Amino acid sequence: MGLLNLFKGKSYRELEAGGDSHAQSGAWGRAKIEYEKALEKLGRASSENPQDAQRLAEKILNSKEKLALDH
C-alpha cells in the first residue's frame, strides 16, 4: 500500500463489502452507515458501472427498513 492510498482510505467497493458484512449479521445501522460512506465516495469518483449508485441507494433503503422493523 502506497502512502497516497493511506490517505485515500477504502474504496467504495470495500465500504460496500463492509456494509454487506454488517447486513448479513443483522447490524442494520452499521450497514447503513457503510453504504452511505460508499455512496458518498462513489459520488466523488467516476464509476465504471453507472448502476452502482442505484444499487447502493437500494441497500441504504433496505437497511433503513430493516432497522425500523427491529425497533
Side-chain angles (χ1 to χ4, degrees), residues 35-56:
Y35 294 142
E36 288 172 339
K37 287 179 187 178
L39 187 59
E40 181 181 333
K41 184 155 265 194
L42 178 63
R44 287 184 268 156
S46 63
S47 173
E48 306 98 37
N49 184 355
Q51 307 301 324
D52 289 344
Q54 179 62 33
R55 185 184 64 250
L56 285 167

Side-chain angles (χ1 to χ4, degrees), residues 7-12 15-16 18 21 25-26 28 40-42 46 48 50 52 57 59-60 66 68:
F7 294 112
K8 289 174 74 172
K10 295 181 180 180
S11 71
Y12 77 92
L15 291 167
E16 181 180 6
S21 177
S25 67
W28 301 111
E40 181 181 333
K41 184 155 265 194
L42 178 63
S46 63
E48 306 98 37
D52 289 344
K59 288 183 177 187
I60 291 168
K66 299 282 187 172

